[in-house]
Amino acid sequence: FHDYNESNVELSFYGPGAVSSTVVRGLMQFSFRSLGVNRVTAKTPRGNKTVIRGLPRFGFRMEGVMRRYYGPFKKLDAIVFGLLKSDAERFMDVMR
């Protein structure tokens, strides 16, 4: 968790199993219930196909690309995803 501002918190997903349903649901429940945010932002390197394919399954929407976010080469762009509280309730049953 980083860059918490009472309305948004940014998450980092890294490593095997990072986008498993158990991990993502737990992160969303903590973010929306405990922190009380309205949205969650996730960034991942362009080359991280597992996360890029996995996050939309949980209601995250791709919001853009941050060019050269991780360094001077194109492959180090960041893909930015966002998830609103209302979408999390619908897709993941977070608030029960």
Side-chain angles (χ1 to χ4, degrees), residues 67-77:
R67 298 180 308 150
R68 298 183 182 174
Y69 182 79
Y70 296 106
F73 304 106
K74 184 175 180 180
K75 69 180 181 179
L76 295 177
D77 294 348

Side-chain angles (χ1 to χ4, degrees), residues 6-81:
E6 296 182 14
S7 181
N8 178 71
V9 67
E10 187 174 317
L11 303 178
S12 292
F13 289 91
Y14 179 79
V19 289
S20 72
S21 60
T22 302
V23 170
V24 175
R25 282 193 178 114
L27 292 171
M28 295 308 100
Q29 287 176 348
F30 180 77
S31 297
F32 293 118
R33 291 170 121 186
S34 299
L35 297 178
V37 297
N38 296 312
R39 67 170 275 133
V40 172
T41 302
K43 293 179 195 151
T44 191
R46 181 184 295 277
N48 192 339
K49 302 299 182 198
T50 302
V51 172
I52 291 169
R53 283 190 307 266
L55 289 180
R57 294 180 191 151
F58 299 101
F60 280 85
R61 294 184 187 182
M62 184 183 160
E63 295 183 339
V65 176
M66 297 178 75
R67 298 180 308 150
R68 298 183 182 174
Y69 182 79
Y70 296 106
F73 304 106
K74 184 175 180 180
K75 69 180 181 179
L76 295 177
D77 294 348
I79 307 299
V80 181
F81 290 89

